[in-house]
């Protein structure tokens, strides 16, 4: 049974946010690798938060958190050396994120919101341009181009789903998917800029902030979706 009172469980999410702020400060005073001492605890508290609120052990969310954590570690330590494993783990994470969104994706589309169709097209073009431009900049540094491009394609599909869902399922909580997709893209872009193009602390701080924001927003979205799923068929929003 889903819990109706969220107040007692927000502590876990708040601790995760606090750890996120600490992770942003670590590169300023310590070695960047010290971030990974706190990242697992931030993810753990988010998972506990989702479990406490929904009362369900979300395997897909656990896989997503673990895959994201591992890919971040492999990326920042030695991406060229770990590129094969990093790409495979990243693809697993994207697949887990799609599986998390499966209950929404299964909803039958009866109407597509046309009032913001222009914004959707512009957003898709912008997303494509950003991804292609980053790929163009870092491609000379990538030793395994085929697997890297496959990862980029899967990432692009996953992010497109995050932006498309709110346009045919107009439930207000689905706006969270736009924030999840936007922060995920921003965190990835800042990470690549930091590693390959501009190795400065502000880039790492921005990448860390965006990834923490994405995980917290995703955890919040999961809890709200599970609650609403019990109370509504979404038909009034579709």
């Amino acid at each position: 049974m889903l819990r109706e009172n969220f107040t007692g469980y927000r502590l876990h999410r708040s601790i995760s946010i606090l750890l996120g702020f600490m992770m942003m400060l670590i590169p300023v005073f310590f070695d960047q690798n010290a971030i990974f001492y706190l990242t697992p605890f931030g993810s753990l508290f988010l998972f506990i938060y989702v479990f406490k609120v929904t009362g369900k052990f979300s395997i897909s969310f656990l896989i997503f958190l673990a895959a994201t954590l591992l890919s971040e570690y492999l990326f920042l330590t030695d991406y060229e050396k770990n590129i094969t494993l990093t790409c495979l783990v990243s693809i697993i994470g994207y697949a887990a994120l799609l599986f998390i969104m499966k209950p929404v994706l299964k909803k039958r589309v009866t109407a597509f919101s046309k009032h913001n169709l222009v914004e959707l097209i512009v957003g898709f073009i912008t997303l494509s341009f950003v991804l292609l431009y980053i790929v163009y900049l870092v491609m000379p540094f990538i030793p395994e181009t085929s697997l890297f491009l496959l990862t980029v394609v899967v990432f692009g599909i996953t992010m497109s789903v995050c932006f498309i869902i709110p346009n045919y399922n107009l439930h207000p909580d689905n706006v969270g998917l736009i924030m999840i997709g936007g922060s995920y893209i921003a965190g990835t872009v800042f990470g690549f800029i930091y590693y390959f193009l501009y190795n400065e602390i502000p880039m790492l701080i921005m990448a860390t902030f965006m990834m923490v924001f994405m995980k917290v927003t995703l955890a919040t979205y999961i809890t709200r979706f599970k609650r609403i799923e019990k109370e509504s068929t979404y038909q009034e929003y579709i």
Side-chain angles (χ1 to χ4, degrees):
M1 179 181 298
L2 295 177
R3 276 73 166 179
E4 295 294 330
N5 183 12
F6 286 70
T7 305
Y9 308 128
R10 287 176 179 163
L11 175 63
H12 300 90
R13 185 178 61 181
S14 300
I15 294 175
S16 181
I17 295 173
L18 177 61
L19 291 173
F21 280 111
M22 294 175 63
M23 284 186 281
M24 287 186 286
L25 294 176
I26 282 178
V28 180
F29 303 102
F30 306 99
D31 181 75
Q32 67 173 34
N33 292 329
I35 293 176
F36 298 110
Y37 292 111
L38 294 180
T39 306
F41 293 101
S43 298
L44 176 62
F45 279 109
L46 283 179
F47 181 79
I48 294 175
Y49 166 70
V50 171
F51 174 73
K52 290 283 188 178
V53 174
T54 63
K56 296 180 180 180
F57 190 92
S58 177
I59 296 294
S60 54
F61 187 50
L62 179 62
I63 292 175
F64 173 79
L65 291 175
T68 305
L69 176 63
L70 182 57
S71 62
E72 290 172 356
Y73 175 78
L74 294 173
F75 179 82
L76 288 178
T77 51
D78 194 340
Y79 184 61
E80 291 92 340
K81 180 181 178 180
N82 303 319
I83 183 171
T84 300
L85 183 58
T86 305
C87 290
L88 292 175
V89 172
S90 297
I91 291 175
I92 293 174
Y94 305 149
L97 181 56
L98 287 173
F99 194 83
I100 290 173
M101 296 184 288
K102 183 180 177 182
V104 181
L105 290 171
K106 290 193 302 182
K107 297 295 180 180
R108 184 172 60 90
V109 180
T110 56
F112 189 86
S113 177
K114 297 181 179 179
H115 71 280
N116 54 353
L117 185 60
V118 175
E119 290 86 345
L120 180 63
I121 295 174
V122 172
F124 179 78
I125 294 175
T126 303
L127 168 62
S128 301
F129 174 79
V130 170
L131 288 178
L132 290 176
Y133 186 65
I134 293 297
V135 169
Y136 169 76
L137 291 177
V138 304
M139 188 60 73
F141 307 101
I142 302 299
E144 186 67 41
T145 56
S146 57
L147 186 57
F148 173 74
L149 290 176
L150 175 61
T151 307
V152 172
V153 170
V154 178
F155 178 73
I157 293 173
T158 306
M159 296 302 99
S160 298
V161 171
C162 289
F163 287 100
I164 290 174
I165 287 178
N167 286 274
Y168 72 79
N169 190 322
L170 303 181
H171 192 283
D173 281 333
N174 283 331
V175 175
L177 288 175
I178 297 178
M179 294 188 289
I180 292 168
S183 56
Y184 208 161
I185 294 170
T188 303
V189 170
F190 280 118
F192 272 94
I193 292 175
Y194 169 77
Y195 190 88
F196 289 107
L197 305 174
Y198 189 65
N199 191 249
E200 296 293 337
I201 294 301
M203 292 295 106
L204 179 58
I205 293 175
M206 288 302 300
T208 303
F209 170 76
M210 289 298 174
M211 295 306 290
V212 170
F213 179 83
M214 179 272 295
K215 294 174 185 177
V216 172
T217 306
L218 177 59
T220 304
Y221 173 77
I222 293 174
T223 59
R224 291 180 178 176
F225 172 74
K226 294 299 183 181
R227 179 183 61 181
I228 297 171
E229 188 179 27
K230 290 290 185 180
E231 300 172 353
S232 171
T233 61
Y234 281 93
Q235 292 303 314
E236 64 268 36
Y237 301 109
I238 298 178

